[in-house]
Amino acid sequence: MQRVGVQTSPIQVLAVDIGGTKVAVALVDASGEVHWSDRAPTPPRGNADDIWAAIEGLLAAVPEDSRPLACGVGCGGPMSGGGELVSPLNIPGWRDFPLRRRMADSTGLPTWVDNDAKALAMGEGWVGEAAGRSNYLSMVVSTGVGAGIVLDGRLLDGASGNAGHIGHVIVEPDGRVCGCGARGCLEAEASGTAIAATTGKPPAEAGKDVIERTGRLVGRAVATVANLLDLQLATVAGSVALGFGQPFFEAAQAELSARARLPYSSPCRIAPSRLGGLAPLIGAAAVGLKGLGHRGSAPDG
């Protein structure tokens, strides 16, 4: 059992995190404690059915004596409202995939879906680094790059539920072509996918120059958002950022401090997620708890 919260709750939700590299499932209670979890690789070149089969394999492994009240899902975007149709840039096999309906049919549970980075922001504000904060940015730097933004205690949704896509802030004009079609997006320059494409090596083998450049680009994007939205905290999760560690965060903070110079944005700091590798699952759980109307599990929607 992996412990995150400080108090066990009888209320449990089934949390599902779907990314370009892995899919993961957990049972999480209303205090943020993870009682069981499992994960599997995302089929790298799988079609829609291959990817769904990997998820169903994990769902079949959920302990039979568990009694979750709902299912919360975090998935890469973009997506239509409520995750009815998802088209993650890092999962080419899914285009307009009916994720919420398929998950509800498979689990038999009331199901809520949101962007994985927005889910992360909910988890961070619930039991993570941003707990007690009303204004912050939470982002993930992993296979892709995404974020969720909380302003005045409310998670931003936007017109179609896709607010917070910091991965598509331009950090290198005329840089690499991004999966979205633009050039120089943060995701095209600093994601795990981009690092592997430009270096020919996985991020885990990146040298000092790559680590520091990745940090600088993340800091540059955060500065843009902090200046725009009056933010003083950005939490960062994801295998690339957390794997790169202190040199990444030092480079990111130095770039942020150099570019966020307004009186309200200059105090902004970048901090690693307190939730570590469990952050996406705790975020997905927050989506489910919020759907159930459980107060205290997430920023207001």
Side-chain angles (χ1 to χ4, degrees):
M1 181 185 298
Q2 303 177 65
R3 304 187 65 84
V4 175
V6 295
Q7 182 179 1
T8 298
S9 167
I11 297 174
Q12 287 191 357
V13 296
L14 180 66
V16 182
D17 174 58
I18 303 170
T21 301
K22 65 172 177 62
V23 293
V25 174
L27 292 167
V28 184
D29 72 18
S31 67
E33 184 173 358
V34 178
H35 291 261
W36 169 89
S37 66
D38 200 1
R39 59 190 290 178
T42 304
R45 287 173 292 279
N47 60 31
D49 290 336
D50 293 335
I51 299 162
W52 181 248
I55 295 170
E56 284 203 309
L58 291 176
L59 295 177
V62 175
E64 293 184 1
D65 60 351
S66 64
R67 296 291 183 269
L69 299 180
C71 177
V73 185
C75 180
M79 63 181 62
S80 64
E84 293 296 340
L85 300 174
V86 302
S87 303
L89 294 182
N90 292 312
I91 305 180
W94 275 6
R95 290 296 175 266
D96 289 335
F97 184 79
L99 178 58
R100 194 207 63 78
R101 178 180 60 79
R102 292 286 291 270
M103 193 67 68
D105 289 347
S106 183
T107 63
L109 296 170
T111 299
W112 288 271
V113 179
D114 209 336
N115 178 276
D116 54 359
K118 287 171 62 188
L120 174 73
M122 294 167 66
E124 288 287 352
W126 174 26
V127 290
E129 183 67 23
R133 295 268 191 159
S134 296
N135 299 278
Y136 61 91
L137 162 74
S138 289
M139 61 185 298
V140 57
V141 183
S142 186
T143 306
V145 177
I149 299 168
V150 173
L151 283 182
D152 301 326
R154 297 181 65 86
L155 178 70
L156 298 188
D157 285 322
S160 61
N162 288 288
H165 268 77
I166 196 172
H168 302 284
V169 169
I170 305 299
V171 292
E172 291 280 22
D174 301 320
R176 299 183 71 249
V177 176
C178 181
C180 74
R183 284 188 175 272
C185 295
L186 179 62
E187 183 163 286
E189 300 286 344
S191 66
T193 301
I195 291 168
T198 56
T199 66
K201 300 177 181 179
E205 298 178 18
K208 181 174 181 289
D209 56 338
V210 172
I211 292 172
E212 292 181 348
R213 178 179 184 270
T214 304
R216 285 196 303 271
L217 295 177
V218 168
R220 189 174 302 170
V222 170
T224 298
V225 179
N227 286 332
L228 178 67
L229 297 179
D230 189 4
L231 300 177
Q232 297 186 0
L233 175 65
T235 71
V236 186
S239 59
V240 171
L242 298 180
F244 284 175
Q246 184 175 350
F248 165 88
F249 284 96
E250 288 178 351
Q253 185 65 59
E255 185 76 3
L256 168 60
S257 297
R259 295 183 182 271
R261 305 300 295 272
L262 295 164
Y264 61 83
S265 61
S266 60
C268 189
R269 66 183 179 91
I270 291 181
S273 168
R274 189 190 304 173
L275 304 177
L278 291 172
L281 285 168
I282 293 173
V287 172
L289 288 167
K290 182 180 177 181
L292 285 172
H294 189 272
R295 303 297 298 177
S297 62
D300 289 337

